Amino acid sequence: MNSSVRKKVMILGGPNLSRLGQREPEIYGKTSWEELSGLCSEWANSLDLNVEFLQDDGEGALVGLIHQADDQFDGLILNAAAYTHTSVALRDAVSAVSIPVVEIHLSNPSSREEFRQKNLLSGVVEAGVFGFGTQSYRLALEGMAELLGA
Ligand code: DQA
């Protein structure tokens, strides 16, 4: 397929995800963020999607990247990490975009500590995938391809 007509998906990670692989591997697995980026490129390629893989620890920077996704991409796969549970700013940013947003988590936050039970994003996203470790990203890409009719 001609890559110029491929749909573009931003995969955006929030705080501490750059430490994947070394950060609580019993919860988040041993795959590093860099390795996950490579896997997502392969999965996206097989789904005829183009992906950009970005991460930032800052709430304001993430808001800016969500705006950028809305302006320049066809879909957004978002792991807002800890901000999922705290950030009205990210919720407002997601509410305002016109592209589909799929929320993603490596773990299942609902089965963890009480402070993770609160989710400010789930009410404003198109769909969500959680609890499958790095495979959550593959499943989210497959779901996004369906949503975009790619
Ligand atoms: C996470 C779950 C969040 O509760 C946590 O703060 C993270 C990672 C996940 O992918 O499982 O940083 O989003």
Side-chain angles (χ1 to χ4, degrees):
M1 189 175 180
N2 183 342
S3 63
S4 65
V5 300
R6 284 183 167 192
K7 297 282 171 68
K8 285 170 57 183
V9 176
M10 181 189 285
I11 302 179
L12 181 58
N16 301 305
L17 289 175
S18 59
R19 310 291 286 173
L20 221 56
Q22 61 195 105
R23 170 196 181 204
E24 299 180 275
E26 66 287 359
I27 298 173
Y28 300 117
K30 291 184 180 151
T31 305
S32 70
W33 185 246
E34 209 167 346
E35 288 164 345
L36 185 58
S37 168
L39 285 169
C40 284
S41 296
E42 285 171 28
W43 292 326
N45 213 29
S46 68
L47 291 162
D48 281 327
L49 293 172
N50 280 346
V51 280
E52 195 154 331
F53 203 76
L54 300 167
Q55 188 273 336
D56 205 290
D57 290 326
E59 191 176 16
L62 290 166
V63 168
L65 287 165
I66 291 168
H67 296 166
Q68 189 186 327
D70 195 31
D71 291 342
Q72 297 170 13
F73 290 76
D74 299 297
L76 171 64
I77 293 174
L78 176 64
N79 185 347
Y83 291 135
T84 306
H85 316 295
T86 62
S87 178
V88 176
L90 288 193
R91 180 192 167 96
D92 285 351
V94 169
S95 296
V97 303
S98 53
I99 57 171
V101 180
V102 174
E103 180 187 351
I104 182 171
H105 299 283
L106 294 143
S107 66
N108 175 2
S110 303
S111 68
R112 298 177 60 195
E113 301 94 329
E114 202 181 330
F115 62 85
R116 293 184 210 276
Q117 310 304 313
K118 186 168 180 179
N119 185 327
L120 295 177
L121 298 181
S122 55
V124 292
V125 296
E126 191 89 18
V129 182
F130 54 85
F132 292 98
T134 51
Q135 294 298 318
S136 289
Y137 283 81
R138 182 177 59 75
L139 295 166
L141 279 163
E142 285 176 8
M144 183 59 86
E146 287 285 331
L147 288 173
L148 297 176

